[in-house]
Coordinates of all heavy atoms in Angstrom, one line a residue:
A16 N 52.8 -31.7 -41.2 CA 53.9 -31.0 -40.4 C 55.2 -31.7 -40.4 O 56.3 -31.0 -40.2 CB 53.3 -30.8 -38.9
A63 N 51.5 -24.6 -41.0 CA 50.1 -24.3 -41.3 C 49.9 -23.1 -42.2 O 50.6 -22.1 -42.0 CB 49.3 -24.2 -40.0
M241 N 38.5 -23.7 -36.5 CA 39.9 -23.7 -36.9 C 40.1 -23.5 -38.4 O 41.2 -23.1 -38.9 CB 40.5 -25.0 -36.6 CG 40.5 -25.3 -35.1 SD 41.3 -24.1 -34.1 CE 43.0 -24.1 -34.8
H290 N 36.3 -36.9 -38.2 CA 37.6 -36.7 -37.7 C 37.6 -36.7 -36.2 O 36.6 -36.5 -35.5 CB 38.0 -35.2 -38.1 CG 38.4 -35.2 -39.6 ND1 39.5 -35.7 -40.1 CD2 37.8 -34.5 -40.6 CE1 39.6 -35.5 -41.3 NE2 38.5 -34.7 -41.7
R291 N 38.7 -37.0 -35.6 CA 38.9 -37.3 -34.2 C 39.6 -36.1 -33.5 O 39.9 -36.1 -32.2 CB 39.5 -38.6 -33.9 CG 38.8 -39.8 -34.4 CD 39.5 -41.0 -34.1 NE 41.0 -41.0 -34.5 CZ 41.3 -41.4 -35.7 NH1 40.4 -41.7 -36.6 NH2 42.6 -41.4 -36.0
N292 N 40.1 -35.1 -34.3 CA 40.8 -34.0 -33.8 C 40.5 -32.7 -34.7 O 39.7 -32.8 -35.5 CB 42.3 -34.3 -33.8 CG 43.0 -33.4 -32.8 OD1 42.7 -32.4 -32.4 ND2 44.3 -34.0 -32.3
Q293 N 41.0 -31.6 -34.3 CA 40.6 -30.4 -34.9 C 40.8 -30.4 -36.5 O 41.8 -31.0 -37.0 CB 41.4 -29.2 -34.4 CG 42.9 -29.3 -34.4 CD 43.7 -28.2 -33.8 OE1 43.9 -27.2 -34.5 NE2 44.0 -28.4 -32.6
V294 N 39.8 -29.9 -37.1 CA 39.8 -29.7 -38.6 C 40.7 -28.5 -39.0 O 40.1 -27.4 -38.7 CB 38.5 -29.8 -39.2 CG1 38.5 -29.7 -40.7 CG2 37.7 -31.0 -38.7
T295 N 41.8 -28.7 -39.6 CA 42.6 -27.6 -39.9 C 42.5 -27.1 -41.3 O 42.9 -25.9 -41.6 CB 44.2 -28.0 -39.7 OG1 44.4 -29.2 -40.5 CG2 44.4 -28.3 -38.2
G309 N 41.2 -31.7 -43.8 CA 42.4 -32.2 -43.2 C 42.3 -32.0 -41.7 O 41.8 -31.0 -41.3
S310 N 43.0 -32.9 -41.0 CA 42.9 -32.7 -39.5 C 44.1 -33.1 -38.8 O 45.1 -33.7 -39.4 CB 41.7 -33.7 -39.0 OG 41.7 -33.8 -37.6
H311 N 44.3 -32.7 -37.6 CA 45.4 -33.1 -36.8 C 45.2 -34.6 -36.4 O 46.2 -35.1 -35.7 CB 45.5 -32.2 -35.5 CG 46.1 -30.9 -35.7 ND1 46.5 -30.1 -34.8 CD2 46.6 -30.3 -36.9 CE1 47.2 -29.0 -35.2 NE2 47.2 -29.2 -36.6
D312 N 44.2 -35.2 -36.7 CA 44.2 -36.7 -36.5 C 45.0 -37.5 -37.5 O 44.9 -38.7 -37.6 CB 42.7 -37.2 -36.3 CG 42.0 -37.0 -37.7 OD1 42.6 -36.7 -38.7 OD2 40.8 -37.3 -37.7
E313 N 45.7 -36.7 -38.3 CA 46.6 -37.3 -39.3 C 45.9 -38.0 -40.5 O 46.4 -38.9 -41.2 CB 47.5 -38.3 -38.7 CG 48.4 -37.6 -37.6 CD 49.5 -38.6 -37.0 OE1 49.5 -39.8 -37.4 OE2 50.2 -38.2 -36.1
T314 N 44.6 -37.5 -40.8 CA 43.8 -38.1 -41.9 C 43.3 -36.9 -42.7 O 43.1 -35.8 -42.3 CB 42.6 -38.9 -41.5 OG1 41.7 -38.1 -40.8 CG2 43.1 -40.0 -40.6
G333 N 51.5 -37.7 -39.7 CA 51.8 -36.4 -39.1 C 50.5 -35.5 -39.3 O 49.6 -35.9 -40.1
P334 N 50.3 -34.5 -38.4 CA 49.2 -33.7 -38.5 C 49.1 -33.0 -39.8 O 50.1 -32.6 -40.4 CB 49.4 -32.6 -37.4 CG 50.5 -33.2 -36.5 CD 51.3 -34.1 -37.4
I335 N 47.9 -32.9 -40.4 CA 47.7 -32.2 -41.7 C 47.7 -30.7 -41.5 O 47.0 -30.2 -40.8 CB 46.4 -32.7 -42.4 CG1 46.2 -34.1 -42.4 CG2 46.3 -32.1 -43.6 CD1 47.4 -34.9 -43.2
T336 N 48.7 -30.0 -42.2 CA 48.7 -28.6 -42.1 C 48.2 -27.8 -43.3 O 47.8 -26.6 -43.1 CB 50.2 -28.1 -41.9 OG1 51.0 -28.7 -43.0 CG2 50.8 -28.7 -40.6

Side-chain angles (χ1 to χ4, degrees):
M241 301 302 298
H290 285 296
R291 301 182 304 277
N292 206 332
Q293 58 182 272
V294 179
T295 55
S310 170
H311 275 190
D312 65 5
E313 303 184 358
T314 67
I335 308 301
T336 55

